[in-house]
Amino acid sequence: MRHDPSKFEGKIYMPMIRSAALTALLLTSAALPIQGLQANDSQGQISSFSPATGEEAFNEIQHLLRTLSNPWGEGGEIISLIDAQAMVREDEALLMIAPSERGTYVVVLRRDGVQWHRADVSNDQLSTAARHLRGELDGSQGATHRGPDPVVDMRESFDRLTAWTVYSRLLGPLEATMQGARRVTVIASEAAQSVPFSALVTAPPEGEDSDPVALRATSWLGDRHVFASAPSLSQWRKARSSTQAARPHFYVGFGDPALPQSGALAYNRLPQTRTEIMQVAGLFSADRQTVRLGDQASEQSVKSEGLERATILHFATIGLAEGRVPTHGGPALVLAPSASEDGWLTAGEVASLQLTADFVIASGCSTYGEMADAFLHAGARSGLAVDGAVSDEMAAEFVTALVAAAIEETDGDYVRAFQIARAKLRARPDNRYAHPAAWAQFGLFGDPPIAQPHTAR
């Protein structure tokens, strides 16, 4: 679903708001020190040789993140700093962000140390900026996209000044510690969950925001790191600790469903969803795939298919954000209805599935967040989802490039495959691919494999 930043209840926001106004908003606040630290310790750095100080900061942000609402009751366990560091690989970082009205608390954990700071940005301020940036991305999608609403007032520009300001306030002080982290796992609460980290800007922007040459030359945070979200530290540890015996690839894909119609809700067919499923399925031998299209891409089929065998599970369809599903709460994937099912596969229903997939692809609008967390709860190790709106064409191109890279170029390293897919799209001469909307809407979740334990495809 498209996020329209001018329509969020309780927010004073006008579509013509300028970058300077948002920058001023972020730069003016009064914050208190994080509980448990001294007033002059709002920023600090320690190494493995000072575990007491680091443990205090690490434990405190875990307590703050425990207020994060989880519909399936996970994530309450406190993990020691030493145990967490033992799970972090040399080329990755764990980023924990907890906004409040006293400021935003940020901790970066590396295998050999931890750094933290308190940004003088309140949750409301961060929310305004994040929704503005999401609106900039959503408004640059094509008219045919994988959500229920048409995109109007197409934008060719992107507000890089706000993106740079958010980066400078939140992550700038931690830049040196994050350096060299190929993958960054994000555990966040409140407004920080909506920040488009890949589309943040790491240096003062030059040129016009609508100039494709300037956009291509921009220093994007997504060029440094691949971001993956996790709903909680304990869930991330569970995925990281799980081991699985080698097994062959088995691909299961649902796409181009016969869409349900309900009252005022009338969905248009998305032709590229079929293309996406068929192109990805073509990467696997005929005996290692199951494809369901049209009437067969039904909610009933998902629930009766026996998805435990799927190592890669793929949905290419319309995604609905919370509040857009008739008679249901929470987000949903739109599938074909049947006599026994209405065609809206909700996050709650996803959470009740029995999955063992290493990688799930939820290729529809608004599948990041609760829907992605539901797949993890159901047993999936990791996956790809969309935060906000994505055009039908862009989704098919990115997903196909990602899976092809994972299978054919990286031996199942989905982090490296993500980098390759993004680079391929950005290298295209079409100016549409200069805008971050071509790649910043896609995000990994869970613990994406860096080497798949599969023996054949």
Side-chain angles (χ1 to χ4, degrees), residues 1-5 131-145 150-160 199 209-210 215 220 387-395 430-441:
M1 151 182 182
R2 177 179 179 233
H3 297 293
D4 183 348
R131 286 170 169 170
H132 171 66
L133 292 176
R134 283 289 170 203
E136 294 278 289
L137 294 170
D138 290 350
S140 300
Q141 301 297 331
T144 302
H145 71 108
V151 173
V152 296
D153 299 330
M154 290 281 292
R155 298 185 181 95
E156 296 181 353
S157 64
F158 182 75
D159 182 359
R160 295 175 298 156
D209 285 346
S210 59
L215 290 173
W220 302 105
D387 199 346
V390 65
S391 77
D392 192 31
E393 179 182 0
M394 292 287 190
D430 190 325
N431 286 337
R432 293 179 302 161
Y433 299 97
H435 197 288
W439 44 267
Q441 303 289 71

Side-chain angles (χ1 to χ4, degrees), residues 321-387:
E322 183 177 4
R324 301 306 303 270
V325 185
T327 71
H328 295 288
L333 293 168
V334 182
L335 297 169
S338 63
S340 59
E341 300 290 350
D342 56 20
W344 290 288
L345 182 68
T346 65
E349 291 171 316
V350 167
S352 66
L353 298 174
Q354 299 296 315
L355 303 179
T356 63
D358 292 302
F359 201 74
V360 173
I361 302 166
S363 186
C365 293
S366 303
T367 52
Y368 215 60
E370 186 176 343
M371 179 61 73
D373 293 350
F375 279 112
L376 296 175
H377 181 83
R381 175 178 176 179
S382 65
L384 177 81
V386 178
D387 199 346

Side-chain angles (χ1 to χ4, degrees), residues 220 285 287 305 315:
W220 302 105
S285 60
D287 62 337
E305 191 65 49
F315 296 89

Side-chain angles (χ1 to χ4, degrees), residues 193-354:
Q193 294 177 299
S194 300
V195 174
F197 290 100
S198 293
L200 297 185
V201 176
T202 62
E206 298 181 358
E208 296 295 328
D209 285 346
S210 59
D211 181 5
V213 175
L215 290 173
R216 290 185 187 278
T218 298
S219 299
W220 302 105
L221 186 58
D223 292 335
R224 297 181 179 177
H225 316 287
V226 173
F227 291 90
S229 70
S232 68
L233 190 59
S234 60
Q235 193 286 328
W236 175 74
R237 182 175 68 167
K238 178 182 177 182
R240 177 56 56 92
S241 303
S242 64
T243 58
Q244 193 171 79
R247 55 178 178 160
H249 281 297
F250 198 94
Y251 169 81
V252 178
F254 299 86
D256 191 22
L259 298 168
Q261 308 295 329
S262 176
L265 287 177
Y267 305 114
N268 296 320
R269 177 175 173 264
L270 299 171
Q272 293 301 316
T273 57
R274 179 178 291 260
T275 301
E276 178 180 317
I277 292 290
M278 296 306 296
Q279 287 181 337
V280 173
L283 298 168
F284 304 89
S285 60
D287 62 337
R288 307 305 307 169
Q289 60 171 271
T290 295
V291 171
R292 298 287 182 256
L293 302 169
D295 289 333
Q296 294 185 348
S298 66
E299 181 183 2
Q300 179 61 40
S301 180
V302 171
K303 294 179 178 179
S304 61
E305 191 65 49
L307 299 180
E308 297 91 342
R309 61 180 173 169
T311 61
I312 299 177
L313 178 60
H314 184 184
F315 296 89
T317 185
I318 291 172
L320 300 177
E322 183 177 4
R324 301 306 303 270
V325 185
T327 71
H328 295 288
L333 293 168
V334 182
L335 297 169
S338 63
S340 59
E341 300 290 350
D342 56 20
W344 290 288
L345 182 68
T346 65
E349 291 171 316
V350 167
S352 66
L353 298 174
Q354 299 296 315

Side-chain angles (χ1 to χ4, degrees), residues 383-426:
L384 177 81
V386 178
D387 199 346
V390 65
S391 77
D392 192 31
E393 179 182 0
M394 292 287 190
E397 292 179 350
F398 188 89
V399 169
T400 302
L402 171 73
V403 182
I407 299 300
E408 298 178 340
E409 300 182 52
T410 68
D411 194 27
D413 186 336
Y414 277 90
V415 175
R416 177 63 183 141
F418 189 95
Q419 293 173 314
I420 291 172
R422 183 171 57 198
K424 285 182 177 179
L425 262 64
R426 292 185 62 191

Side-chain angles (χ1 to χ4, degrees), residues 161-178:
L161 180 57
T162 295
W164 175 61
T165 304
V166 172
Y167 170 79
S168 300
R169 303 297 291 168
L170 252 60
L171 303 180
L174 309 175
E175 183 175 75
T177 302
M178 294 179 65

